[in-house]
């Protein structure tokens, strides 16, 4: 039986949707084991076990779970060796892609990023040129190291929570890596992660520095707030909110685009959303070509009305 190693790095109280997707995909390919770099609550470990995972590999060194990728790549390389995995699955964030590349070099293995579909014979389909082309490819050297885009596969239902066996791996982090420490300060908004959100309200240059009406609508719908590059470059919202070719790829049930013109680089990150609603005061804006519903109007008038109506109806 093929061993599939899934790298998880979230370690919150429960598994994120994208993590459940990775575990579900892994189960279609072979026996799944997990590598976990950071600290984890028992409920999180039990959640991993509920996907039929019997073993979780963890580093015995704090440097291997530091915020920087180098230590994690060293650990993950050792976890692949210890588990005998032939397939390594990771998420698709910038961090995961960098770790994948470093592990690929260490193991002399091929790496495929941005995978949107994976067949049983490991033919990977990836989106290229900002989603304009779909490319089928396979790893032919070493183990298959693959980063999977969120929302590419359906997460299966979990079974009963059960604690997996922990295997501690001795990891010797190179001195140059161990010399660096850091910390991540994530903004606390209480809203869901962009990649996890069922509803996203995204704003562009038309927002003109005021994301308030978008945040109100997102909160009324239990959604997240995203942005075009014009808005993040202007410093109106943090860069992690950027959606598009050089930002995040999202695929929510509902994407509300406000004051965004719909450039190809923005489309690349959101065109697979289930329902797209566009609000723009220019009736000829290209965003209306990809919208399921279009509203020609001023976002500062339309959004508060929508929020008020949703709150009134208690939706
Ligand atoms: P604009 O194109 O200026 O559009 C603003 C829109 O707001 C207009 O359509 C206007 O009619 C409307 N508007 C103005 N005021 C209002 C109002 N009050 N109410 C309603 N509508 C209003 N872009 C991304 O988004 N994501 C990426 O990842 C990304 N990566 C890129 C990578 C590269 C290599 C390059 C070259 C570009 C990239 N871009 C990306 C930039 C992209 O080309 C566009 O410049 C950008 O998406 C434009 O942002 P925008 O739609 O917010 O602004």
């Amino acid at each position: 039986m093929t061993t599939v190693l899934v790298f998880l790095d979230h370690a919150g109280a429960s598994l994120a949707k994208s993590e459940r997707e990775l575990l579900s995909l892994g189960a279609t390919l072979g026996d799944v084991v997990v590598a976990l770099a950071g600290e984890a609550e028992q409920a999180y470990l039990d959640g991993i076990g509920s996907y039929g995972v019997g073993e979780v590999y963890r580093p015995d060194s704090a440097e291997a779970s530091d915020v920087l990728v180098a230590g994690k790549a060293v650990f993950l390389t050792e976890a692949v060796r210890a588990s005998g995995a032939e397939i390594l699955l990771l998420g698709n964030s910038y961090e995961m892609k960098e770790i994948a590349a470093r592990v690929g070099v260490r193991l002399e293995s091929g790496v495929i990023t941005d995978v949107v579909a994976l067949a049983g014979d490991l033919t990977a389909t990836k989106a290229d040129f900002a989603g304009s082309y779909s490319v089928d490819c396979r790893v032919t050297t070493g183990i298959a190291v693959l980063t999977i885009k969120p929302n590419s596969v359906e997460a299966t239902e979990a079974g009963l929570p059960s604690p997996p066996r922990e295997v501690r791996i001795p990891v010797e982090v190179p001195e140059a890596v161990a010399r660096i420490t850091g910390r991540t300060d994530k903004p606390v908004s209480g809203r869901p992660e962009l990649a996890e959100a069922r509803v996203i309200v995204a704003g562009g240059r038309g927002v003109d520095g005021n994301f308030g009406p978008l945040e109100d609508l997102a909160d009324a719908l239990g959604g997240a707030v995203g942005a075009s590059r014009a808005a993040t470059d202007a410093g109106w919202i943090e860069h992690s909110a950027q959606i598009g070719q050089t930002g995040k790829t999202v695929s929510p049930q509902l994407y509300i685009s406000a004051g965004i013109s719909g450039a190809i680089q923005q489309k690349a990150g959101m065109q697979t959303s289930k329902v797209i609603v566009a609000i723009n005061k220019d009736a000829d804006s290209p965003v209306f070509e990809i919208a399921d519903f279009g509203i020609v109007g001023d976002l500062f008038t339309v959004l508060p009305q929508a929020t008020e109506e949703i709150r009134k109806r208690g939706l």
Side-chain angles (χ1 to χ4, degrees):
M1 187 75 162
T2 306
T3 300
V4 184
L5 182 65
V6 174
F7 182 49
L8 301 182
D9 197 29
H10 166 80
S14 59
L15 287 169
K17 179 165 165 274
S18 53
E19 295 180 319
R20 290 188 277 114
E21 289 168 2
L22 286 181
L23 294 172
S24 305
L25 175 63
T28 66
L29 303 168
D31 262 345
V32 181
V33 293
V34 161
L36 196 59
E39 285 311 307
E41 292 176 27
Q42 190 56 48
Y44 184 81
L45 293 168
D46 291 350
I48 293 172
S50 73
Y51 276 85
V53 176
E55 279 178 352
V56 172
Y57 291 82
R58 305 184 71 181
D60 70 351
S61 132
E63 285 98 6
S65 59
D66 200 1
V67 290
L68 297 172
V69 295
K72 290 175 188 168
V74 174
F75 156 61
L76 201 47
T77 306
E78 292 311 318
V80 169
R81 291 194 176 119
S83 63
E86 293 158 60
I87 302 168
L88 172 60
L89 301 181
L90 304 93
N92 203 59
S93 62
Y94 289 124
E95 186 187 17
M96 289 293 164
K97 288 185 199 175
E98 187 176 341
I99 294 171
R102 286 171 180 264
V103 172
V105 171
R106 286 175 171 271
L107 293 172
E108 296 186 2
S109 293
V111 177
I112 305 176
T113 57
D114 299 317
V115 174
V116 292
L118 189 61
D121 68 352
L122 294 190
T123 299
T125 306
K126 62 173 283 176
D128 248 326
F129 296 105
S132 306
Y133 293 92
S134 213
V135 178
D136 284 348
C137 44
R138 289 190 66 184
V139 169
T140 54
T141 309
I143 72 156
V145 181
L146 310 165
T147 73
I148 313 292
K149 277 198 166 191
N151 299 306
S152 300
V153 288
E154 284 284 322
T156 53
E157 284 293 316
L160 289 176
S162 72
R165 192 168 74 87
E166 280 193 41
V167 184
R168 289 278 170 182
I169 307 186
V171 181
E172 267 190 43
V173 176
E175 207 194 317
V177 176
R179 228 181 281 152
I180 308 165
T181 56
R183 63 160 212 259
T184 324
D185 291 330
K186 287 197 178 159
V188 187
S189 72
R191 298 189 189 102
E193 288 283 318
L194 271 180
E196 304 281 317
R198 291 172 61 78
V199 177
I200 292 175
V201 184
R205 203 189 310 272
V207 163
D208 200 18
N210 178 9
F211 267 82
L214 288 88
E215 289 169 352
D216 288 345
L217 181 57
D219 290 343
L221 292 166
V225 176
S228 74
R229 181 158 146 186
T232 56
D233 278 357
W236 299 335
I237 188 167
E238 66 275 3
H239 275 282
S240 58
Q242 186 183 316
I243 293 166
Q245 183 185 336
T246 41
K248 292 195 171 131
T249 305
V250 296
S251 196
Q253 298 293 317
L254 174 62
Y255 188 92
I256 300 174
S257 159
I260 296 178
S261 62
I264 183 164
Q265 295 90 356
Q266 154 75 194
K267 265 165 55 180
M270 46 66 76
Q271 61 193 350
T272 56
S273 303
K274 301 292 175 295
V275 176
I276 299 170
V277 177
I279 302 151
N280 197 302
K281 63 182 184 186
D282 174 8
D284 296 324
S285 172
V287 75
F288 290 124
E289 290 164 19
I290 51 161
D292 298 289
F293 299 95
I295 301 167
V296 179
D298 188 324
L299 69 92
F300 293 105
T301 308
V302 176
L303 291 181
Q305 284 177 354
T307 307
E308 193 189 330
E309 198 60 31
I310 287 161
R311 290 232 163 95
K312 217 190 292 169
R313 292 173 187 225
L315 293 175

